[in-house]
Amino acid sequence: MISGIYTEYLGRIGITDPGSPSAEGLFALTRAHLERIPFENTEIQLGRPPGIDPELCVRRLAAGRGGYCFHLNGAFAALLEHLGYDVTRHVGGMAADTVTTDVRGDHLTLTVRVDGEAYFVDVGLGDGPPEPLPLREGRYERGFRYGLRPLGSADGPDTGWTFLNEDSPFPAMNFRSAPATTADFEAEHLRLSTAEDSPFLQSFFMLRRNAGAVDRLHGRFLLHIDPRGGRDKRELASPEELFEVMATVFGRELDDLTAADRAELWDRVQRAHEAWLASQQS
């Protein structure tokens, strides 16, 4: 029996009958989640970062919000477990290069075992794969290009995995094989949500992907990236345009944002945009 809040969560991603655990069901749930729930930092920008308790995350997503990896993968893991899937959480770390084997702890990722196969599953990367990848070494074409390889370190060759994302600003994400709990991410969530040098405080952004493309909002710039080589970029000229894009392109409900919230968010976006313009002229 699916309880009320999970029924609402499934409704948010457009699935009425998830069925029994299966690879087909896992793929459908992952695709639906990525297509309808954005990677975003609205509340962090407004100075009220939401917690990462899984039940809280489920309720927030069911109510029309988004989040970043701790919220998105945390809620998705809870949903999958509620549906009977065998889910493992892992401590991961984003990397700006594909050489490092460090695991910084700034990312939560998942593996799921179903129908005798283990899968890498991640709805919290923003521009990650549109469906699960088999948890074995290889290169995968899913519109964009991805890869998996054993992590390796001084401790041995099988301490975790490296996920490769060839078309992303962060081309790698390393994660440990050991299971993790929500408590393992609390300190890093506090840093990412409140530290002045955190990218989540420095810029406003949203990402949403589907099987065919990635939509990326960074401040006043909206970028649509098609894996076949198409890139459309436009500059948003007004707060009305920004909030329309948030609601229509990214599917983010706006009922939690007061007039004061909207004014503050636009002011932050505008100030960051002006700083960026000044940097281009220096």
Side-chain angles (χ1 to χ4, degrees):
M1 176 68 106
I2 303 175
S3 67
I5 191 61
Y6 288 100
T7 300
E8 294 177 27
Y9 188 178
L10 288 168
R12 170 91 192 276
I13 64 175
I15 292 182
T16 56
D17 182 10
S20 300
S22 67
E24 180 181 5
L26 176 64
F27 275 56
L29 288 161
T30 304
R31 287 191 297 264
H33 199 289
L34 287 164
E35 289 172 2
R36 292 169 175 83
I37 299 183
F39 183 103
E40 54 114 341
N41 65 334
T42 304
E43 289 157 291
I44 292 176
Q45 284 279 297
L46 293 172
R48 50 172 190 258
I52 60 172
D53 173 77
E55 183 176 346
L56 171 64
C57 294
V58 167
R59 293 184 180 281
R60 290 187 64 259
L61 268 56
R65 319 291 175 249
Y68 74 114
C69 64
F70 297 156
H71 309 107
L72 300 175
N73 281 328
F76 195 50
L79 173 65
L80 292 175
E81 288 173 333
H82 189 78
L83 296 175
Y85 286 88
D86 180 4
V87 182
T88 304
R89 297 159 182 78
H90 304 274
V91 173
M94 305 304 298
D97 64 69
T98 60
V99 177
T100 180
T101 59
D102 291 343
V103 179
R104 296 169 53 189
D106 59 359
H107 189 73
L108 160 63
T109 195
L110 311 173
T111 57
V112 179
R113 182 170 290 278
V114 63
D115 292 347
E117 178 84 74
Y119 293 94
F120 168 74
V121 178
D122 202 309
V123 298
L125 286 163
D127 59 358
E131 59 188 28
L133 301 178
L135 190 63
R136 53 177 179 264
E137 186 169 9
R139 293 171 62 86
Y140 301 93
E141 185 82 26
R142 298 294 188 272
F144 296 97
R145 296 164 295 178
Y146 306 102
L148 283 166
R149 68 177 183 226
L151 177 59
S153 74
D155 298 325
D158 188 26
T159 59
W161 292 86
T162 296
F163 164 71
L164 301 169
N165 191 348
E166 297 183 18
D167 302 286
S168 173
F170 287 93
M173 187 276 293
N174 300 323
F175 66 97
R176 302 189 186 105
S177 294
T181 67
T182 301
D184 294 316
F185 305 99
E186 291 285 359
E188 188 62 13
H189 170 59
L190 178 63
R191 185 189 72 81
L192 290 172
S193 298
T194 61
E196 290 186 3
D197 62 348
S198 167
F200 291 95
L201 264 72
Q202 293 175 341
S203 301
F204 173 62
F205 46 78
M206 303 184 83
L207 293 98
R208 185 192 66 90
R209 77 143 307 142
N210 57 39
V214 171
D215 292 304
R216 181 192 301 270
L217 176 64
H218 194 151
R220 283 177 52 180
F221 290 109
L222 176 63
L223 184 64
H224 180 80
I225 308 169
D226 188 302
R228 292 161 293 192
R231 295 172 70 93
D232 295 319
K233 183 178 181 180
R234 69 181 174 103
E235 183 177 339
L236 307 182
S238 68
E240 292 77 18
E241 194 174 5
L242 172 69
F243 292 111
E244 180 184 11
V245 163
M246 288 173 63
T248 60
V249 176
F250 296 94
R252 208 279 191 189
E253 294 288 343
L254 305 177
D255 58 330
D256 63 320
L257 302 180
T258 65
D261 290 335
R262 296 183 188 216
E264 180 180 349
L265 185 60
W266 176 253
D267 181 63
R268 289 182 66 93
V269 167
Q270 186 73 343
R271 283 188 281 115
H273 186 74
E274 290 170 355
W276 175 81
L277 289 175
S279 72
Q280 301 304 297
Q281 297 170 358
S282 61

mmCIF file of all heavy atoms in Angstrom, residues 44 49-58 60 67-75 78 89 105 108 181-190 192-193:
data_model
loop_
_atom_site.group_PDB
_atom_site.id
_atom_site.type_symbol
_atom_site.label_atom_id
_atom_site.label_comp_id
_atom_site.label_asym_id
_atom_site.label_seq_id
_atom_site.Cartn_x
_atom_site.Cartn_y
_atom_site.Cartn_z
ATOM 1 N N ILE A 44 18.005 28.352 -0.754
ATOM 2 C CA ILE A 44 19.346 28.687 -0.268
ATOM 3 C C ILE A 44 19.660 30.136 -0.616
ATOM 4 O O ILE A 44 20.203 30.884 0.202
ATOM 5 C CB ILE A 44 20.393 27.728 -0.851
ATOM 6 C CG1 ILE A 44 20.193 26.318 -0.290
ATOM 7 C CG2 ILE A 44 21.812 28.220 -0.555
ATOM 8 C CD1 ILE A 44 21.121 25.278 -0.870
ATOM 9 N N PRO A 49 17.760 27.678 3.867
ATOM 10 C CA PRO A 49 18.033 26.368 3.280
ATOM 11 C C PRO A 49 17.223 25.262 3.939
ATOM 12 O O PRO A 49 17.188 25.174 5.166
ATOM 13 C CB PRO A 49 19.532 26.166 3.519
ATOM 14 C CG PRO A 49 19.862 27.073 4.665
ATOM 15 C CD PRO A 49 18.961 28.259 4.510
ATOM 16 N N PRO A 50 16.560 24.422 3.144
ATOM 17 C CA PRO A 50 15.780 23.329 3.724
ATOM 18 C C PRO A 50 16.683 22.210 4.206
ATOM 19 O O PRO A 50 17.770 21.989 3.668
ATOM 20 C CB PRO A 50 14.905 22.865 2.555
ATOM 21 C CG PRO A 50 15.697 23.227 1.337
ATOM 22 C CD PRO A 50 16.432 24.488 1.679
ATOM 23 N N GLY A 51 16.242 21.503 5.228
ATOM 24 C CA GLY A 51 17.005 20.377 5.749
ATOM 25 C C GLY A 51 16.992 19.198 4.794
ATOM 26 O O GLY A 51 16.308 19.205 3.760
ATOM 27 N N ILE A 52 17.748 18.153 5.138
ATOM 28 C CA ILE A 52 17.873 17.004 4.243
ATOM 29 C C ILE A 52 17.304 15.723 4.853
ATOM 30 O O ILE A 52 17.579 14.634 4.346
ATOM 31 C CB ILE A 52 19.341 16.788 3.819
ATOM 32 C CG1 ILE A 52 20.249 16.528 5.038
ATOM 33 C CG2 ILE A 52 19.843 17.988 3.027
ATOM 34 C CD1 ILE A 52 21.670 16.127 4.657
ATOM 35 N N ASP A 53 16.501 15.857 5.910
ATOM 36 C CA ASP A 53 15.798 14.682 6.415
ATOM 37 C C ASP A 53 14.972 14.087 5.275
ATOM 38 O O ASP A 53 14.235 14.814 4.592
ATOM 39 C CB ASP A 53 14.885 15.073 7.568
ATOM 40 C CG ASP A 53 14.012 13.911 8.011
ATOM 41 O OD1 ASP A 53 14.524 13.028 8.697
ATOM 42 O OD2 ASP A 53 12.813 13.906 7.631
ATOM 43 N N PRO A 54 15.064 12.776 5.006
ATOM 44 C CA PRO A 54 14.380 12.193 3.844
ATOM 45 C C PRO A 54 12.878 12.446 3.809
ATOM 46 O O PRO A 54 12.325 12.748 2.746
ATOM 47 C CB PRO A 54 14.698 10.701 3.965
ATOM 48 C CG PRO A 54 15.993 10.653 4.701
ATOM 49 C CD PRO A 54 15.941 11.785 5.671
ATOM 50 N N GLU A 55 12.205 12.345 4.962
ATOM 51 C CA GLU A 55 10.757 12.577 4.952
ATOM 52 C C GLU A 55 10.435 14.021 4.602
ATOM 53 O O GLU A 55 9.502 14.305 3.841
ATOM 54 C CB GLU A 55 10.141 12.223 6.309
ATOM 55 C CG GLU A 55 8.624 12.389 6.320
ATOM 56 C CD GLU A 55 7.987 11.955 7.624
ATOM 57 O OE1 GLU A 55 8.655 11.280 8.423
ATOM 58 O OE2 GLU A 55 6.809 12.306 7.834
ATOM 59 N N LEU A 56 11.226 14.948 5.132
ATOM 60 C CA LEU A 56 11.047 16.351 4.781
ATOM 61 C C LEU A 56 11.263 16.561 3.288
ATOM 62 O O LEU A 56 10.505 17.293 2.625
ATOM 63 C CB LEU A 56 12.026 17.218 5.577
ATOM 64 C CG LEU A 56 12.116 18.694 5.173
ATOM 65 C CD1 LEU A 56 10.790 19.408 5.431
ATOM 66 C CD2 LEU A 56 13.260 19.387 5.916
ATOM 67 N N CYS A 57 12.299 15.928 2.740
ATOM 68 C CA CYS A 57 12.582 16.067 1.310
ATOM 69 C C CYS A 57 11.433 15.524 0.464
ATOM 70 O O CYS A 57 11.054 16.126 -0.556
ATOM 71 C CB CYS A 57 13.882 15.349 0.958
ATOM 72 S SG CYS A 57 15.359 16.092 1.706
ATOM 73 N N VAL A 58 10.878 14.380 0.860
ATOM 74 C CA VAL A 58 9.732 13.811 0.138
ATOM 75 C C VAL A 58 8.572 14.801 0.136
ATOM 76 O O VAL A 58 7.939 15.045 -0.909
ATOM 77 C CB VAL A 58 9.308 12.471 0.771
ATOM 78 C CG1 VAL A 58 7.940 12.037 0.247
ATOM 79 C CG2 VAL A 58 10.353 11.392 0.479
ATOM 80 N N ARG A 60 8.627 18.071 0.527
ATOM 81 C CA ARG A 60 8.932 19.261 -0.259
ATOM 82 C C ARG A 60 8.781 18.993 -1.754
ATOM 83 O O ARG A 60 8.193 19.799 -2.483
ATOM 84 C CB ARG A 60 10.356 19.751 0.028
ATOM 85 C CG ARG A 60 10.547 20.342 1.417
ATOM 86 C CD ARG A 60 11.927 20.949 1.568
ATOM 87 N NE ARG A 60 12.120 22.061 0.670
ATOM 88 C CZ ARG A 60 12.778 22.011 -0.471
ATOM 89 N NH1 ARG A 60 13.334 20.889 -0.889
ATOM 90 N NH2 ARG A 60 12.903 23.088 -1.220
ATOM 91 N N GLY A 67 15.479 20.952 -5.455
ATOM 92 C CA GLY A 67 16.555 20.903 -4.476
ATOM 93 C C GLY A 67 17.851 20.515 -5.156
ATOM 94 O O GLY A 67 17.943 20.499 -6.388
ATOM 95 N N TYR A 68 18.853 20.198 -4.344
ATOM 96 C CA TYR A 68 20.088 19.682 -4.925
ATOM 97 C C TYR A 68 20.285 18.252 -4.450
ATOM 98 O O TYR A 68 19.341 17.641 -3.942
ATOM 99 C CB TYR A 68 21.267 20.620 -4.658
ATOM 100 C CG TYR A 68 21.845 20.652 -3.270
ATOM 101 C CD1 TYR A 68 23.140 20.200 -3.035
ATOM 102 C CD2 TYR A 68 21.128 21.173 -2.189
ATOM 103 C CE1 TYR A 68 23.698 20.256 -1.770
ATOM 104 C CE2 TYR A 68 21.685 21.239 -0.925
ATOM 105 C CZ TYR A 68 22.970 20.775 -0.723
ATOM 106 O OH TYR A 68 23.523 20.837 0.532
ATOM 107 N N CYS A 69 21.453 17.675 -4.658
ATOM 108 C CA CYS A 69 21.606 16.215 -4.562
ATOM 109 C C CYS A 69 21.109 15.632 -3.245
ATOM 110 O O CYS A 69 20.451 14.585 -3.235
ATOM 111 C CB CYS A 69 23.055 15.814 -4.808
ATOM 112 S SG CYS A 69 24.237 16.440 -3.565
ATOM 113 N N PHE A 70 21.391 16.296 -2.107
ATOM 114 C CA PHE A 70 20.983 15.738 -0.826
ATOM 115 C C PHE A 70 19.463 15.660 -0.715
ATOM 116 O O PHE A 70 18.918 14.742 -0.095
ATOM 117 C CB PHE A 70 21.549 16.566 0.329
ATOM 118 C CG PHE A 70 23.059 16.588 0.405
ATOM 119 C CD1 PHE A 70 23.714 17.630 1.042
ATOM 120 C CD2 PHE A 70 23.826 15.573 -0.146
ATOM 121 C CE1 PHE A 70 25.101 17.656 1.127
ATOM 122 C CE2 PHE A 70 25.211 15.594 -0.072
ATOM 123 C CZ PHE A 70 25.854 16.642 0.563
ATOM 124 N N HIS A 71 18.772 16.633 -1.299
ATOM 125 C CA HIS A 71 17.307 16.616 -1.290
ATOM 126 C C HIS A 71 16.749 15.645 -2.335
ATOM 127 O O HIS A 71 15.864 14.839 -2.034
ATOM 128 C CB HIS A 71 16.753 18.015 -1.579
ATOM 129 C CG HIS A 71 17.316 19.090 -0.732
ATOM 130 N ND1 HIS A 71 18.207 20.029 -1.211
ATOM 131 C CD2 HIS A 71 17.137 19.379 0.584
ATOM 132 C CE1 HIS A 71 18.543 20.860 -0.235
ATOM 133 N NE2 HIS A 71 17.913 20.485 0.867
ATOM 134 N N LEU A 72 17.261 15.742 -3.558
ATOM 135 C CA LEU A 72 16.683 14.981 -4.669
ATOM 136 C C LEU A 72 16.957 13.488 -4.540
ATOM 137 O O LEU A 72 16.037 12.659 -4.599
ATOM 138 C CB LEU A 72 17.222 15.518 -5.994
ATOM 139 C CG LEU A 72 16.920 16.996 -6.278
ATOM 140 C CD1 LEU A 72 17.615 17.443 -7.563
ATOM 141 C CD2 LEU A 72 15.424 17.241 -6.366
ATOM 142 N N ASN A 73 18.221 13.118 -4.376
ATOM 143 C CA ASN A 73 18.530 11.695 -4.224
ATOM 144 C C ASN A 73 18.060 11.161 -2.879
ATOM 145 O O ASN A 73 17.697 9.988 -2.764
ATOM 146 C CB ASN A 73 20.037 11.461 -4.385
ATOM 147 C CG ASN A 73 20.458 11.463 -5.847
ATOM 148 O OD1 ASN A 73 19.703 11.066 -6.720
ATOM 149 N ND2 ASN A 73 21.667 11.922 -6.110
ATOM 150 N N GLY A 74 18.039 12.027 -1.852
ATOM 151 C CA GLY A 74 17.522 11.589 -0.561
ATOM 152 C C GLY A 74 16.057 11.225 -0.625
ATOM 153 O O GLY A 74 15.623 10.183 -0.110
ATOM 154 N N ALA A 75 15.262 12.076 -1.285
ATOM 155 C CA ALA A 75 13.835 11.794 -1.433
ATOM 156 C C ALA A 75 13.601 10.604 -2.351
ATOM 157 O O ALA A 75 12.745 9.747 -2.071
ATOM 158 C CB ALA A 75 13.116 13.030 -1.972
ATOM 159 N N ALA A 78 14.172 7.349 -0.634
ATOM 160 C CA ALA A 78 13.056 7.026 0.258
ATOM 161 C C ALA A 78 11.859 6.507 -0.535
ATOM 162 O O ALA A 78 11.180 5.557 -0.109
ATOM 163 C CB ALA A 78 12.666 8.255 1.070
ATOM 164 N N ARG A 89 22.698 4.165 -0.382
ATOM 165 C CA ARG A 89 23.196 5.541 -0.500
ATOM 166 C C ARG A 89 24.711 5.515 -0.395
ATOM 167 O O ARG A 89 25.271 4.721 0.376
ATOM 168 C CB ARG A 89 22.602 6.417 0.606
ATOM 169 C CG ARG A 89 21.087 6.551 0.535
ATOM 170 C CD ARG A 89 20.510 6.976 1.885
ATOM 171 N NE ARG A 89 19.048 7.066 1.873
ATOM 172 C CZ ARG A 89 18.214 6.034 1.945
ATOM 173 N NH1 ARG A 89 18.714 4.793 2.052
ATOM 174 N NH2 ARG A 89 16.909 6.204 1.917
ATOM 175 N N GLY A 105 32.766 14.373 -0.472
ATOM 176 C CA GLY A 105 31.610 14.310 0.416
ATOM 177 C C GLY A 105 30.528 15.313 0.110
ATOM 178 O O GLY A 105 29.574 15.456 0.885
ATOM 179 N N LEU A 108 25.575 13.158 -2.736
ATOM 180 C CA LEU A 108 24.903 11.897 -2.379
ATOM 181 C C LEU A 108 24.465 11.229 -3.667
ATOM 182 O O LEU A 108 23.787 11.848 -4.496
ATOM 183 C CB LEU A 108 23.689 12.185 -1.503
ATOM 184 C CG LEU A 108 22.586 11.100 -1.414
ATOM 185 C CD1 LEU A 108 23.132 9.817 -0.797
ATOM 186 C CD2 LEU A 108 21.390 11.621 -0.623
ATOM 187 N N THR A 181 24.564 6.993 5.346
ATOM 188 C CA THR A 181 23.292 7.402 5.930
ATOM 189 C C THR A 181 23.167 8.920 5.793
ATOM 190 O O THR A 181 24.147 9.620 5.495
ATOM 191 C CB THR A 181 23.184 7.013 7.404
ATOM 192 O OG1 THR A 181 24.142 7.780 8.155
ATOM 193 C CG2 THR A 181 23.457 5.522 7.602
ATOM 194 N N THR A 182 21.984 9.436 6.066
ATOM 195 C CA THR A 182 21.764 10.878 5.976
ATOM 196 C C THR A 182 22.735 11.647 6.859
ATOM 197 O O THR A 182 23.197 12.736 6.490
ATOM 198 C CB THR A 182 20.311 11.217 6.369
ATOM 199 O OG1 THR A 182 19.412 10.523 5.500
ATOM 200 C CG2 THR A 182 20.051 12.709 6.275
ATOM 201 N N ALA A 183 23.072 11.088 8.014
ATOM 202 C CA ALA A 183 23.973 11.771 8.948
ATOM 203 C C ALA A 183 25.341 12.051 8.319
ATOM 204 O O ALA A 183 26.016 13.017 8.701
ATOM 205 C CB ALA A 183 24.143 10.939 10.214
ATOM 206 N N ASP A 184 25.749 11.234 7.359
ATOM 207 C CA ASP A 184 27.051 11.421 6.718
ATOM 208 C C ASP A 184 27.109 12.691 5.878
ATOM 209 O O ASP A 184 28.213 13.119 5.482
ATOM 210 C CB ASP A 184 27.380 10.217 5.836
ATOM 211 C CG ASP A 184 27.576 8.946 6.628
ATOM 212 O OD1 ASP A 184 28.253 8.995 7.670
ATOM 213 O OD2 ASP A 184 27.047 7.893 6.217
ATOM 214 N N PHE A 185 25.969 13.312 5.594
ATOM 215 C CA PHE A 185 25.932 14.475 4.710
ATOM 216 C C PHE A 185 25.568 15.770 5.436
ATOM 217 O O PHE A 185 25.581 16.834 4.821
ATOM 218 C CB PHE A 185 24.935 14.227 3.569
ATOM 219 C CG PHE A 185 25.208 12.978 2.793
ATOM 220 C CD1 PHE A 185 24.497 11.812 3.053
ATOM 221 C CD2 PHE A 185 26.194 12.951 1.824
ATOM 222 C CE1 PHE A 185 24.754 10.652 2.351
ATOM 223 C CE2 PHE A 185 26.466 11.796 1.118
ATOM 224 C CZ PHE A 185 25.748 10.635 1.375
ATOM 225 N N GLU A 186 25.241 15.704 6.710
ATOM 226 C CA GLU A 186 24.744 16.875 7.428
ATOM 227 C C GLU A 186 25.763 18.015 7.455
ATOM 228 O O GLU A 186 25.416 19.175 7.207
ATOM 229 C CB GLU A 186 24.343 16.491 8.850
ATOM 230 C CG GLU A 186 23.103 15.608 8.957
ATOM 231 C CD GLU A 186 21.806 16.376 8.702
ATOM 232 O OE1 GLU A 186 21.868 17.599 8.458
ATOM 233 O OE2 GLU A 186 20.743 15.738 8.764
ATOM 234 N N ALA A 187 27.010 17.721 7.783
ATOM 235 C CA ALA A 187 28.013 18.776 7.898
ATOM 236 C C ALA A 187 28.264 19.443 6.553
ATOM 237 O O ALA A 187 28.374 20.671 6.462
ATOM 238 C CB ALA A 187 29.314 18.207 8.469
ATOM 239 N N GLU A 188 28.344 18.655 5.511
ATOM 240 C CA GLU A 188 28.599 19.224 4.187
ATOM 241 C C GLU A 188 27.390 19.997 3.687
ATOM 242 O O GLU A 188 27.531 21.034 3.025
ATOM 243 C CB GLU A 188 28.971 18.115 3.198
ATOM 244 C CG GLU A 188 29.443 18.602 1.844
ATOM 245 C CD GLU A 188 30.724 19.436 1.887
ATOM 246 O OE1 GLU A 188 31.404 19.445 2.940
ATOM 247 O OE2 GLU A 188 31.027 20.082 0.875
ATOM 248 N N HIS A 189 26.194 19.542 4.023
ATOM 249 C CA HIS A 189 24.995 20.304 3.660
ATOM 250 C C HIS A 189 25.000 21.675 4.332
ATOM 251 O O HIS A 189 24.670 22.687 3.697
ATOM 252 C CB HIS A 189 23.740 19.540 4.063
ATOM 253 C CG HIS A 189 22.480 20.335 3.941
ATOM 254 N ND1 HIS A 189 22.050 20.890 2.755
ATOM 255 C CD2 HIS A 189 21.559 20.709 4.874
ATOM 256 C CE1 HIS A 189 20.921 21.553 2.954
ATOM 257 N NE2 HIS A 189 20.608 21.466 4.231
ATOM 258 N N LEU A 190 25.410 21.725 5.586
ATOM 259 C CA LEU A 190 25.492 23.005 6.286
ATOM 260 C C LEU A 190 26.478 23.933 5.592
ATOM 261 O O LEU A 190 26.195 25.128 5.384
ATOM 262 C CB LEU A 190 25.911 22.778 7.742
ATOM 263 C CG LEU A 190 26.082 24.039 8.595
ATOM 264 C CD1 LEU A 190 24.765 24.798 8.726
ATOM 265 C CD2 LEU A 190 26.639 23.674 9.970
ATOM 266 N N LEU A 192 27.541 23.827 2.365
ATOM 267 C CA LEU A 192 27.062 24.210 1.046
ATOM 268 C C LEU A 192 25.900 25.197 1.119
ATOM 269 O O LEU A 192 25.707 26.008 0.209
ATOM 270 C CB LEU A 192 26.635 22.965 0.267
ATOM 271 C CG LEU A 192 27.754 22.028 -0.173
ATOM 272 C CD1 LEU A 192 27.182 20.746 -0.750
ATOM 273 C CD2 LEU A 192 28.663 22.708 -1.197
ATOM 274 N N SER A 193 25.141 25.143 2.193
ATOM 275 C CA SER A 193 23.954 25.991 2.334
ATOM 276 C C SER A 193 24.241 27.352 2.940
ATOM 277 O O SER A 193 23.422 28.274 2.790
ATOM 278 C CB SER A 193 22.912 25.289 3.209
ATOM 279 O OG SER A 193 22.487 24.086 2.618
#
